[in-house]
């Protein structure tokens, strides 16, 4: 299915994990994708893989904590592909693990917000005129987290993701008359390179998910593609959990309190 034939997309933090999967999914459905990452080499590698598979993509180094870098990335997608229809804000910073608040460092707190929230703000601000000129198909999809909806640890990470959900709602209303939809996907635990070296943690995490496994980057990419497409043309301002059911119940408590099962 080529839902994005003729679309132009920019994906941040797309050098690996969820961002890379999103870039590949959009390209597989016909979009021309600017793959951006703070590590330009990784962005180029992902873009080269998309091109090798027959898609249209280019890599670009972008540090979303720098307004000039964001402006350059938006300018690059418009110049290279002729416009911008889809923005996916995936770049983030912050450790989802919790430390005692008094042991946390202020620079880490501010850094989490500067990339996760302020970076998305910078990208939306730079991209909005182009998205508004996209003839009603402009869409922003922000990548949040279940941490922004419920306690799973990580003070700065969770607070920044919750704030991103708030920005999603206000921007959705503000941009609706300009033909731009804004939504957020909230993943649960996803097997990405951020979990490298901790395979047993993912095994333990899987036991808390009603669907019996942690997520794959492709699970999130599928949801992003839906929200960015015309199939979601009457959806804006929502937070879509893609979380294996973890937000709807406490599986560990259910098992502890329920009847014994052989």
């Amino acid at each position: 299915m080529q839902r994005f034939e003729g679309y132009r997309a920019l994906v941040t933090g797309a050098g690996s994990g969820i961002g890379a999967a999103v870039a590949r999914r959009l390209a597989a459905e016909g979009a021309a994708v600017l793959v951006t990452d703070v590590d330009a080499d990784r962005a180029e590698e992902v873009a080269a893989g998309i091109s090798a598979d027959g898609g249209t993509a280019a890599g670009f180094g972008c540090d979303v904590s720098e307004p000039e870098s964001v402006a350059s990335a938006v300018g690059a997608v418009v110049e290279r592909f002729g416009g911008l229809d889809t923005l996916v804000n995936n770049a983030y910073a912050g450790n989802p693990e919790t430390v005692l608040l008094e042991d946390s460092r202020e620079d880490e707190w501010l850094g989490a917000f500067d990339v996760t929230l302020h970076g998305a703000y910078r990208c939306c601000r730079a991209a909005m005129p182009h998205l508004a000129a996209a003839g009603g198909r402009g869409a922003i999809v922000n990548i949040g987290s279940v941490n922004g909806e419920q306690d799973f640890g990580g003070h700065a990470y969770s607070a920044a993701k919750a704030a991103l959900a708030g920005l999603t709602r206000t921007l959705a209303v503000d941009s609706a008359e300009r033909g731009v939809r804004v939504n957020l996907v909230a993943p649960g635990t996803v097997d990405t390179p951020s979990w490298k070296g901790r395979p047993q943690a993912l095994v333990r995490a899987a036991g808390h998910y009603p669907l019996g496994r942690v997520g794959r980057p492709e699970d999130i990419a599928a949801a992003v593609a839906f929200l960015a497409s015309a199939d979601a043309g009457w959806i804006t301002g929502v937070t879509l959990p893609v979380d294996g059911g973890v937000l709807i119940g406490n599986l560990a408590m259910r098992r502890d309190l329920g009847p014994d099962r052989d």
Side-chain angles (χ1 to χ4, degrees):
M1 182 185 300
Q2 297 294 301
R3 291 184 292 184
F4 298 103
E5 192 69 41
Y7 280 58
R8 293 72 49 98
L10 188 158
V11 185
T12 69
S16 64
I18 290 172
V22 169
R24 287 191 288 264
R25 178 63 182 258
L26 295 178
E29 293 199 36
V33 182
L34 189 72
V35 180
T36 76
D37 197 274
V38 68
D39 186 329
D41 290 339
R42 292 197 309 187
E44 293 282 1
E45 183 178 350
V46 172
I50 290 171
S51 298
D53 289 336
T56 301
F60 195 88
C62 178
D63 181 350
V64 299
S65 70
E66 298 290 342
E68 297 82 3
S69 184
V70 169
S72 294
V74 171
V77 70
V78 172
E79 179 180 359
R80 192 173 300 235
F81 300 133
L84 179 61
D85 306 281
T86 303
L87 169 66
V88 180
N89 287 309
N90 173 68
Y92 77 95
N95 187 347
E97 294 184 2
T98 296
V99 297
L100 291 175
L101 191 64
E102 61 267 32
D103 293 335
S104 64
R105 290 167 38 192
E106 186 164 336
D107 62 332
E108 291 181 347
W109 175 276
L110 295 175
F113 275 82
D114 198 32
V115 174
T116 306
L117 176 64
H118 303 156
Y121 153 75
R122 294 181 187 107
C123 290
C124 291
R125 181 179 62 178
M128 187 58 70
H130 305 286
L131 297 170
R137 65 186 190 184
I140 297 170
V141 182
N142 296 319
I143 306 300
S145 172
V146 294
N147 287 59
E149 306 299 315
Q150 187 173 304
D151 171 45
F152 291 97
H155 302 301
Y157 176 84
S158 299
K161 291 293 191 179
L164 185 58
L167 175 63
T168 297
R169 291 187 288 271
T170 58
L171 188 57
V173 175
D174 187 62
S175 63
E177 290 185 351
R178 304 174 72 183
V180 180
R181 297 179 301 103
V182 187
N183 293 292
L184 180 140
V185 172
T189 306
V190 179
D191 187 356
T192 67
S194 65
W195 290 91
K196 185 177 180 180
R198 302 177 60 199
Q200 289 307 308
L202 287 177
V203 172
R204 291 193 299 271
H208 293 272
Y209 282 82
L211 289 182
R213 66 172 176 87
V214 299
R216 296 182 286 264
E218 292 75 17
D219 295 319
I220 312 308
V224 171
F226 165 66
L227 288 175
S229 76
D231 289 340
W234 210 46
I235 299 174
T236 196
V238 306
T239 291
L240 174 63
V242 183
D243 66 351
V246 75
L247 284 178
I248 61 172
N250 187 324
L251 189 59
M253 181 177 288
R254 177 187 284 260
R255 287 170 173 162
D256 287 343
L257 299 180
D260 293 333
R261 297 180 181 176
D262 293 331

